[in-house]
């Protein structure tokens, strides 16, 4: 073990916190991830800052809450004003690389406004959120020129203009017809792509190649898997490793459909929710979802073995997490976004190779963690400035290294802008009127909805969040207290983004040095 020199930031897409064996899943075994937890710290109460891919990832990358960085949806670019982990680490000279998905959209308006040429190396970096894209593949549609995956598939004999749609997310029907994985009823079948040519296998090998090539030079690698996100299509044998009997029980109750919150009721009318409300949908999709996770674990085992062989396990800080969870039919919902635990609580494991972390290895820390903590933890581990005037997360090093933490956060926050979703049309809302904010404490979860009544859950007596107390008069005092907590948090947002505290301190009450003598008698 030694001092942190490299950082490996592993993210899965749409991976629930309860779908790992180290998190208590009774049938899904994830030995590689469990092994990482035994060497590091498992944080079971980790929350993302939005239950949507894009804004959640931008919070991970910037260390800032969603309405601070402003990229509130998948189709909203991250402003050039915002610094990402690549910007923060640029002074170190480290290579900051990506293998997989980011959801970063270029701020083309900003690039044009600042006259940054589209063909320059700087423009390419800024369009990619300051990641050097080894291979970018977002997994929602056929890979484009930013990825070599399509060409790789053709080189393996998958002859098609669109091998992703024709092989990776497709299956063979009983009569030889091609069946699309976009239809969830087909995901019980094996994908037409061989396992060794699948998305997870391909991207892990890209990461392993990078680590091998870097040798002793320092690096930050973001390995970002597109699975177990939809289309829920798994290659053999992973499509058939699990059955309905191996799945966690559905967390939904008929009482949830009585006096529903208006926004929640609208989300339950989305096509993915209607599909998952079918009795056969969860038992069809969940086994394949589990198989995709098992495949990731198997390939992470290969990656971790390589790190050990190369000596990189002794100097690499490793994060393992997800951008959000997946309802899979819980609460009568598909997808994510709503503020239930299944969507916002994510797996979060940190392995710190420094000897000062030896006392916490293999422990479970129940303190609240947020996605925005990745940036400050990385900066602290590498001995870099903290950028406290910008970064809204907290370094986890004191927790990892057994240091003193006299005060730690007692609440977590998450936000939503649902203006791009069908729910807005169903509710007849304007795009500017679709905001929501959640605050969760040890006992209470409160959700403020713009122009709608709030939601409230008593997690001590209703941990499955089946009874919404948002309109119950007996809990009005709790709602007032939670609203005050939310207001205090909003007032503390970091809005001075162009100068740091040292700049302010050096210029406080110095006007007379500059020949300015206002107010003298």
């Amino acid at each position: 073990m030694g001092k942190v020199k490299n950082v490996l930031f592993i993210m899965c897409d749409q991976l629930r916190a309860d779908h790992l064996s180290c998190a208590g899943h009774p049938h899904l075994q994830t030995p590689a991830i469990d092994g990482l937890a035994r060497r590091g710290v498992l944080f079971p109460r980790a929350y993302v800052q939005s239950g949507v891919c894009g804004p959640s990832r931008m919070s991970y990358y910037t260390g800032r809450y969603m309405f601070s960085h402003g990229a509130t949806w998948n189709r909203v670019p991250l402003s050039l004003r915002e610094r990402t982990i690549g910007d923060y680490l640029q002074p170190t000279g480290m290579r900051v690389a990506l293998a997989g998905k980011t959801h970063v959209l270029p701020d083309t308006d900003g690039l044009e406004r600042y006259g940054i040429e589209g063909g320059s190396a700087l423009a390419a970096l800024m369009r990619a959120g300051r990641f050097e894209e080894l291979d970018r593949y977002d997994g929602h549609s056929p890979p484009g020129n930013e990825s070599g995956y399509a060409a790789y598939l053709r080189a393996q004999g998958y002859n098609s203009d669109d091998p992703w749609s024709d092989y990776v997310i497709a299956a063979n029907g009983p009569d030889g017809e091609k069946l699309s994985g976009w239809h969830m009823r087909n995901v019980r079948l094996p994908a037409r792509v061989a396992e060794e040519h699948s998305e997870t296998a391909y991207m892990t090998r890209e990461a392993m190649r990078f680590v091998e090539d870097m040798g002793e030079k320092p690096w930050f690698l973001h390995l970002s898997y597109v699975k177990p996100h939809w289309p829920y299509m798994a290659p053999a044998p992973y499509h058939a490793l699990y059955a309905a009997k191996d799945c966690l029980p559905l967390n939904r109750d008929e009482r949830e459909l009585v006096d529903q919150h208006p926004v929640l009721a609208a989300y339950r009318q989305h096509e993915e929710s209607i599909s998952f409300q079918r009795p056969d949908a969860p038992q069809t999709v969940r086994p394949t979802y589990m198989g995709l996770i098992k495949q990731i674990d198997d390939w992470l085992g290969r990656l971790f073995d390589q790190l050990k062989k190369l000596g990189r396990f002794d100097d690499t800080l490793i994060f393992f997490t997800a951008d959000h969870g997946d309802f899979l039919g819980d609460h009568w919902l598909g997808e994510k976004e709503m503020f239930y635990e299944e969507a916002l609580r994510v797996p979060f494991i940190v392995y710190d190779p420094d000897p000062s972390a030896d006392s916490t290895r293999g422990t479970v820390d129940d303190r609240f963690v947020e996605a925005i903590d990745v940036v400050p933890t990385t900066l602290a581990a590498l001995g870099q400035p903290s950028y406290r005037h910008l970064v809204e997360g907290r370094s986890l090093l004191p927790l990892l290294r057994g240091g003193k933490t006299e005060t730690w956060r007692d609440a977590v926050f998450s936000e939503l802008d649902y203006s791009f979703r069908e729910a807005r049309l169903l509710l007849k809302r304007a795009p500017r009127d679709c905001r929501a904010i959640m605050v969760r404490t040890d006992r209470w979860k409160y959700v403020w909805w713009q122009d709608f009544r709030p939601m409230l859950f008593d997690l001590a007596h209703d941990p499955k969040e089946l009874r919404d107390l948002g309109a119950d008069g007996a809990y009005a005092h709790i709602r007032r207290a939670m609203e005050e907590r939310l207001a205090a948090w909003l007032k503390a947002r970091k809005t001075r983004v162009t100068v740091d505290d040292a700049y302010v301190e050096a210029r406080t009450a110095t006007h007379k040095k500059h020949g300015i003598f206002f107010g003298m008698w």
Side-chain angles (χ1 to χ4, degrees):
M1 301 296 177
K3 185 178 180 181
V4 173
K5 186 173 77 171
N6 314 299
V7 181
L8 175 59
F9 176 25
I10 305 168
M11 179 179 286
C12 297
D13 197 340
Q14 213 147 305
L15 173 60
R16 288 170 52 137
D18 55 8
H19 272 59
L20 301 172
S21 45
C22 59
H25 198 289
H27 302 294
L28 174 56
Q29 297 302 306
T30 51
I33 298 168
D34 295 356
L36 188 69
R38 286 193 298 272
R39 295 177 175 88
V41 178
L42 171 66
F43 294 95
R45 296 208 296 178
Y47 291 80
V48 292
Q49 273 47 82
S50 179
V52 182
C53 297
S56 174
R57 288 166 181 270
M58 300 313 110
S59 286
Y60 272 111
Y61 302 159
T62 62
R64 289 162 59 76
Y65 290 106
M66 187 183 88
F67 282 118
S68 292
H69 62 64
T72 64
W73 189 256
N74 293 341
R75 301 186 184 101
V76 179
L78 182 68
S79 170
L80 291 186
R81 184 187 77 172
E82 292 297 319
R83 298 193 189 199
T84 68
I85 190 66
D87 292 296
Y88 291 125
L89 295 182
Q90 191 272 337
T92 70
M94 296 177 70
R95 283 184 72 184
V96 178
L98 161 76
K101 176 176 181 175
T102 66
H103 247 305
V104 172
L105 281 186
D107 180 4
T108 53
D109 178 69
L111 288 167
E112 293 173 1
R113 196 154 37 94
Y114 298 134
I116 299 173
E117 296 299 328
S120 69
L122 175 61
L125 272 176
M126 297 187 81
R127 292 177 68 86
R130 283 281 184 173
F131 285 110
E132 175 191 341
E133 295 181 342
L134 304 176
D135 193 299
R136 175 171 175 171
Y137 171 44
D138 284 355
H140 290 170
S141 56
N145 295 332
E146 71 281 358
S147 173
Y149 187 43
Y152 166 81
L153 289 171
R154 294 187 191 100
Q156 307 308 312
Y158 301 97
N159 298 316
S160 169
D161 291 336
D162 181 4
W164 182 74
S165 296
D166 291 339
Y167 292 95
V168 178
I169 64 159
N172 289 320
D175 298 320
E177 70 275 28
K178 184 172 60 183
L179 302 176
S180 174
W182 286 116
H183 294 281
M184 292 189 293
R185 63 178 178 267
N186 295 327
V187 303
R188 70 190 187 282
L189 300 170
R192 300 181 74 207
V193 72
E195 193 278 329
E196 62 268 26
H197 305 144
S198 66
E199 296 156 305
T200 294
Y202 172 82
M203 206 55 72
T204 309
R205 284 195 298 267
E206 290 294 301
M208 294 172 71
R209 185 178 299 111
F210 172 80
V211 173
E212 181 88 38
D213 291 345
M214 287 301 294
E216 296 297 323
K217 291 177 287 188
W219 46 264
F220 178 106
L221 175 62
H222 181 27
L223 171 56
S224 186
Y225 291 111
V226 299
K227 295 303 182 187
H229 190 284
W230 46 256
Y232 308 101
M233 208 75 199
Y238 293 99
H239 75 291
L241 291 184
Y242 304 98
K245 63 180 177 58
D246 301 316
C247 299
L248 296 177
L250 273 174
N251 181 29
R252 66 190 190 195
D253 192 288
E254 295 285 348
R255 292 172 295 176
E256 293 183 278
L257 304 179
V258 178
D259 297 326
Q260 300 180 70
H261 189 280
V263 182
L264 192 57
Y267 264 76
R268 287 179 176 140
Q269 294 179 57
H270 288 179
E271 185 173 13
E272 68 274 6
S273 295
I274 293 171
S275 293
F276 268 112
Q277 288 162 22
R278 298 171 54 99
D280 55 342
Q283 66 188 30
T284 299
V285 174
R286 287 185 177 214
T288 303
Y289 178 84
M290 292 166 62
L292 290 167
I293 297 167
K294 176 61 176 170
Q295 186 191 16
I296 289 173
D297 186 79
D298 286 348
W299 277 94
L300 283 178
R302 295 178 176 95
L303 173 59
F304 294 158
D305 285 345
Q306 183 208 37
L307 292 176
K308 294 169 190 173
K309 178 181 176 182
L310 296 174
R312 294 287 72 82
F313 223 89
D314 295 335
D315 58 16
T316 301
L317 178 71
I318 303 176
F319 297 94
F320 175 83
T321 188
D323 58 350
H324 49 72
D326 193 329
F327 284 119
L328 298 170
D330 285 343
H331 302 290
W332 309 95
L333 293 164
E335 276 284 86
K336 52 268 187 180
E337 299 181 54
M338 295 293 98
F339 295 96
Y340 292 108
E341 295 287 285
E342 290 88 348
L344 295 189
R345 190 170 70 88
V346 292
F348 202 98
I349 298 168
V350 187
Y351 162 74
D352 180 359
D354 196 285
S356 59
D358 288 350
S359 63
T360 65
R361 299 196 189 285
T363 61
V364 176
D365 193 322
D366 285 320
R367 282 173 283 194
F368 283 126
V369 167
E370 294 184 303
I372 53 176
D373 296 339
V374 168
V375 164
T377 304
T378 297
L379 294 176
L382 294 172
Q384 296 302 303
S386 63
Y387 296 90
R388 293 307 305 164
H389 67 296
L390 290 175
V391 174
E392 294 175 318
R394 301 185 63 169
S395 170
L396 301 175
L397 282 198
L399 279 59
L400 297 169
R401 299 180 179 180
K404 290 185 178 180
T405 52
E406 295 177 0
T407 59
W408 191 253
R409 64 168 63 96
D410 61 357
V412 290
F413 299 86
S414 189
E415 301 163 272
L416 176 66
D417 169 7
Y418 64 92
S419 58
F420 283 89
R421 296 288 268 141
E422 185 184 2
R424 178 178 72 80
L425 303 179
L426 295 172
L427 294 167
K428 298 179 171 57
R429 308 288 292 169
R432 64 181 178 276
D433 300 327
C434 299
R435 293 181 60 180
I437 311 174
M438 178 210 82
V439 52
R440 193 232 136 125
T441 63
D442 188 55
R443 177 171 178 179
W444 302 101
K445 179 180 287 186
Y446 175 82
V447 183
W448 169 84
W449 290 97
Q450 187 176 13
D451 298 328
F452 291 108
R453 71 161 179 86
M455 297 173 73
L456 180 71
F457 295 96
D458 182 350
L459 301 176
H461 298 97
D462 179 25
K464 294 185 176 181
E465 301 175 290
L466 297 175
R467 184 187 174 200
D468 178 10
L469 305 172
D472 192 325
Y475 295 88
H477 64 296
I478 300 295
R479 293 195 294 273
R480 284 194 298 271
M482 296 298 281
E483 182 71 24
E484 290 171 2
R485 180 183 284 268
L486 197 58
W489 171 74
L490 285 167
K491 292 172 184 176
R493 302 292 270 275
K494 296 189 176 180
T495 55
R496 176 174 31 86
V497 298
T498 54
V499 295
D500 61 14
D501 291 352
Y503 180 96
V504 175
E505 290 168 355
R507 290 160 178 79
T508 300
T510 60
H511 54 283
K512 290 185 179 180
K513 294 180 181 179
H514 301 282
I516 301 171
F517 302 99
F518 64 87
M520 296 181 65
W521 191 256

